[in-house]
Amino acid sequence: MDLIWQQRRCEQRKNRPNDNRSAFQVDRSRIIHAAAFRRLQAKTQIMSIGVNDFYRTRLTHSLEVAQIGTGLLRHLQNSHPDFSLFPNTSLIETLCLAHDIGHPPFGHGGETALNFMMREHGGFEGNAQTLRIVAKLEPYSKGFGMNLTRRTLLGFIKYPALINQLWHSQAEHDPASSFITAHHWLPAKGVYNCDQDIFDWVLAPFSNADKDLLQSNKPWDDFKNKTQFKSLDCAIMEMADDIAYAVHDLEDAIATETLSASDWHNYAMPKLKALDSPWLNQNLESLTQRLFSDDESFRKDAIGELVNLFIVNSSMQTQNDAFESELLRNTVELEPEFAAILQVLKIFVYERLIREPKMQQIEFSGQNLLMDLFKAFASDPMRLLPHTTQVIFEEAHDENARMRVLTDYLSGMSDEYARKTHARLFAGAV
């Protein structure tokens, strides 16, 4: 069974004498040396690139997710010494390092823009794009992307269903309007229909019953459904990402004075105090003092304490007894007390930082800029696209495939490159 999960979609013979790396160490190397990974240094995490050189980009965020992910894996291995199917460190690092490489410029604003522009051509979603990059687009092997192992690809599939199967209705849009209502065009989270060949190959080792259960979904909002399950490896990566988002992005916001002690006391403290948490009862006042101390070392200590708190209070749990495969039956969860704390921190960061009007205005700007670029390149692709992309565009077999090529190109841009391209097209800048 283990050999099945180390298989690659394309068997290649590379001239690598005395290469003693494992299959998953090779996967990690391919991620680190990929152009798509390097571009994360110039993509927005929360605050726009270039406003301040202190806070995190998607690259530094991904490095921290990898560090948390390996710590989480060590804890789980120590807590469940008899479980033999845990991923190794290289595999978890690979998933954590690359989990965001499919995200477009301008964060969720860019994702919403591309999903709207692709509404009749299969949609756009960051996690689906990640799978597409590692399995098809990155030019390590023609047509197979980085040609990663099956188990690594499984770990990237955060939402295991085809996107077209998740939509049950679509928002109406006034064609006379230049703008969109963003929350109506949040993407369905899944795998592109055009990448079904990858999806089917990854899931091939599972029984039909496991495949059906893994792809099951339930209503999410007025327009779409959402999947319910993911693999164990993916769950470890997602937990690490959640911890980094809630804790390290909070640190950024405090350090740059985007969030103040007053914000914390008015919005986070009441919700934290309302929790039935012995740990908070004992530590909340000290945690607050250190987070907002003028001494940066105290803040760093508080952040480290929170990360450790969530790691050591995580455990492997059964997500559904009906799964036959241990890779699907098991997941990672926080103990309820600490899951509640993490949720409050995530909501605090989301509501007081991400949804803050000035941040939303920046996101709105990027969203509309990317829509402008899409319209421009779609109007005359064989004139405006780079020569290499023109070749791929010409090879596309139908309109959906051609629009997907255009979206692949735009989503790979950094924030700054997108702005410069927009200025060149619309403002005459060189």
Side-chain angles (χ1 to χ4, degrees), residues 146-218:
M146 301 182 202
N147 198 29
L148 305 179
T149 59
R150 192 192 309 261
R151 182 159 176 179
T152 297
L153 292 180
L154 176 66
F156 281 122
I157 301 177
K158 197 171 177 181
Y159 304 101
L162 296 175
I163 283 178
N164 285 12
Q165 297 174 354
L166 298 173
W167 287 102
H168 49 75
S169 62
Q170 198 171 69
E172 294 184 5
H173 172 66
D174 179 3
S177 174
S178 301
F179 305 113
I180 61 172
T181 303
H183 73 270
H184 287 169
W185 295 101
L186 295 174
K189 295 179 178 294
V191 176
Y192 299 139
N193 273 49
C194 59
D195 294 330
Q196 184 172 355
D197 57 334
I198 304 169
F199 188 49
D200 290 344
W201 183 83
V202 172
L203 299 191
F206 296 127
S207 69
N208 288 335
D210 273 6
K211 292 177 189 177
D212 290 342
L213 183 57
L214 181 63
Q215 296 176 72
S216 62
N217 50 80
K218 58 184 179 181

Side-chain angles (χ1 to χ4, degrees), residues 203-358:
L203 299 191
F206 296 127
S207 69
N208 288 335
D210 273 6
K211 292 177 189 177
D212 290 342
L213 183 57
L214 181 63
Q215 296 176 72
S216 62
N217 50 80
K218 58 184 179 181
W220 184 24
D221 61 20
D222 291 340
F223 307 110
K224 51 194 173 290
N225 286 6
K226 190 175 183 180
T227 57
Q228 305 177 75
F229 306 112
K230 54 182 63 69
S231 69
L232 173 63
D233 304 349
C234 187
I236 295 173
M237 175 267 284
E238 184 178 41
M239 177 71 74
D241 189 24
D242 282 351
I243 294 170
Y245 166 78
V247 179
H248 288 305
D249 290 346
L250 172 65
E251 179 186 11
D252 266 1
I254 294 172
T256 57
E257 299 182 348
T258 309
L259 288 177
S260 65
S262 176
D263 291 321
W264 176 264
H265 282 281
N266 290 336
Y267 298 100
M269 286 280 277
K271 293 181 179 179
L272 291 170
K273 288 180 177 179
L275 298 177
D276 182 17
S277 168
W279 187 88
L280 283 176
N281 292 340
Q282 184 174 348
N283 294 283
L284 182 55
E285 292 301 325
S286 169
L287 179 70
T288 299
Q289 291 173 7
R290 285 177 290 151
L291 282 175
F292 293 94
S293 171
D294 292 334
D295 188 331
E296 186 179 347
S297 66
F298 287 118
R299 185 171 62 248
K300 285 289 185 185
D301 180 64
I303 293 298
E305 182 175 341
L306 283 173
V307 171
N308 179 74
L309 179 75
F310 295 127
I311 288 176
V312 301
N313 286 285
S314 299
S315 63
M316 188 169 69
Q317 301 290 333
T318 300
Q319 64 176 343
N320 193 306
D321 280 322
F323 280 117
E324 299 170 24
S325 171
E326 294 277 7
L327 289 178
L328 303 181
R329 186 182 309 132
N330 296 288
T331 191
V332 180
E333 293 180 358
L334 274 168
E335 298 301 321
E337 174 187 355
F338 301 98
I341 296 173
L342 183 64
Q343 185 66 12
V344 169
L345 294 181
K346 286 172 63 178
I347 291 173
F348 177 61
V349 170
Y350 178 76
E351 292 183 347
R352 304 307 303 172
L353 180 60
I354 295 175
R355 295 299 300 177
E356 198 276 330
K358 288 183 180 178

Side-chain angles (χ1 to χ4, degrees), residues 8 16 21 29 38 48 75 83 119 122 124 131 243 256 273 275 287 295-296 337 382 418:
R8 303 179 189 277
R16 305 288 189 271
R21 294 174 298 171
S29 297
R38 292 194 296 274
S48 291
H75 169 71
F83 187 75
R119 63 193 181 279
F124 178 87
L131 180 66
I243 294 170
T256 57
K273 288 180 177 179
L275 298 177
L287 179 70
D295 188 331
E296 186 179 347
E337 174 187 355
M382 299 308 294

Side-chain angles (χ1 to χ4, degrees), residues 64-83:
E64 289 172 331
V65 173
Q67 185 268 329
I68 294 171
T70 55
L72 184 57
L73 176 61
R74 284 194 303 272
H75 169 71
L76 294 172
Q77 289 171 326
N78 290 335
S79 302
H80 306 274
D82 297 329
F83 187 75

